[in-house]
Amino acid sequence: MFRADRRHFSMMMLAALAGCSSKPAPAPRPQFKTYSGPPVTQVVVNKGQRRMHLVSNRSVLKSYDVGLGNQPAGHKQFEGDGKTPEGLYFIDRFNPRSRYHLSVGVSYPNEHDRAYAAAFMREPGGDIFIHGRGPEGNKFAPKNRDWTAGCIAVTDEEIEEVFAMLQPGVPIMIYA
């Protein structure tokens, strides 16, 4: 009798499990946003206005308020100076595992930046990104708009759009 009850229980459990597996699984959430609009042909950052524009030919597709390096005035010259670069650079890498949610690399330093820093026997710095806030940035951004070490910061929601819209090689012009 005990063996029959156990067998009956086992059969009920198998039927219940089979019922669970026959339900369609929920669709997986996409990890990243997608973009299917006009291509971004240039990124324009105006440091004085704290604005970044994603441009397709002559049309502005999206604009964002940005935070800059913690020493926003002037062009980045040396590692640790807290300044955001100025001039023409290019989008050169994407980091989906950034500690600032997502990040898009800017090609600083270029040859001119390296030569200038070398003339002073200093390092030019690097790792300049457009990035979100992430947990760390959310602590600083509400108190101080310019909180990065030289990067260009937007909200986490906005970096998801930027990450989807940009491609490697897109020029980024950063104006004072």
Side-chain angles (χ1 to χ4, degrees):
M1 181 81 172
F2 181 69
R3 197 173 279 222
D5 286 341
R6 183 183 273 174
R7 193 174 321 142
H8 180 70
F9 178 75
S10 296
M11 294 300 262
M12 285 183 2
M13 290 303 293
L14 285 172
L17 288 173
C20 289
S21 65
S22 67
K23 291 181 183 178
R29 283 184 58 206
Q31 186 176 3
F32 303 109
K33 288 185 178 181
T34 58
Y35 175 72
S36 59
V40 175
T41 57
Q42 184 178 21
V43 178
V44 177
V45 176
N46 185 310
K47 289 173 52 175
Q49 295 176 353
R50 303 299 193 281
R51 293 287 286 171
M52 178 174 73
H53 309 282
L54 303 185
V55 178
S56 181
N57 298 317
R58 294 182 181 203
S59 299
V60 175
L61 300 173
K62 293 288 282 193
S63 294
Y64 304 93
D65 289 328
V66 298
L68 302 171
N70 57 32
Q71 299 296 321
H75 173 60
K76 181 165 193 63
Q77 297 174 328
F78 308 116
E79 184 173 43
D81 65 9
K83 296 181 179 184
T84 300
E86 296 171 0
L88 177 62
Y89 297 94
F90 297 90
I91 300 303
D92 66 352
R93 60 203 182 278
F94 292 80
N95 182 0
R97 295 178 184 220
S98 170
R99 69 191 226 200
Y100 300 105
H101 192 56
L102 296 170
S103 59
V104 177
V106 175
S107 64
Y108 177 89
N110 60 28
E111 289 303 315
H112 180 265
D113 299 319
R114 285 196 259 311
Y116 183 86
F120 291 89
M121 297 172 37
R122 306 267 311 265
E123 292 295 322
D127 285 338
I128 300 297
F129 287 88
I130 303 167
H131 61 66
R133 292 181 180 170
E136 186 176 331
N138 281 326
K139 293 177 189 173
F140 298 109
K143 298 173 190 141
N144 186 0
R145 182 177 201 169
D146 298 322
W147 58 272
T148 75
C151 295
I152 300 161
V154 294
T155 68
D156 289 348
E157 295 78 21
E158 291 168 339
I159 193 59
E160 290 176 9
E161 292 177 351
V162 171
F163 196 91
M165 293 175 76
L166 291 179
Q167 296 295 318
V170 169
I172 176 170
M173 188 66 198
I174 305 171
Y175 294 99

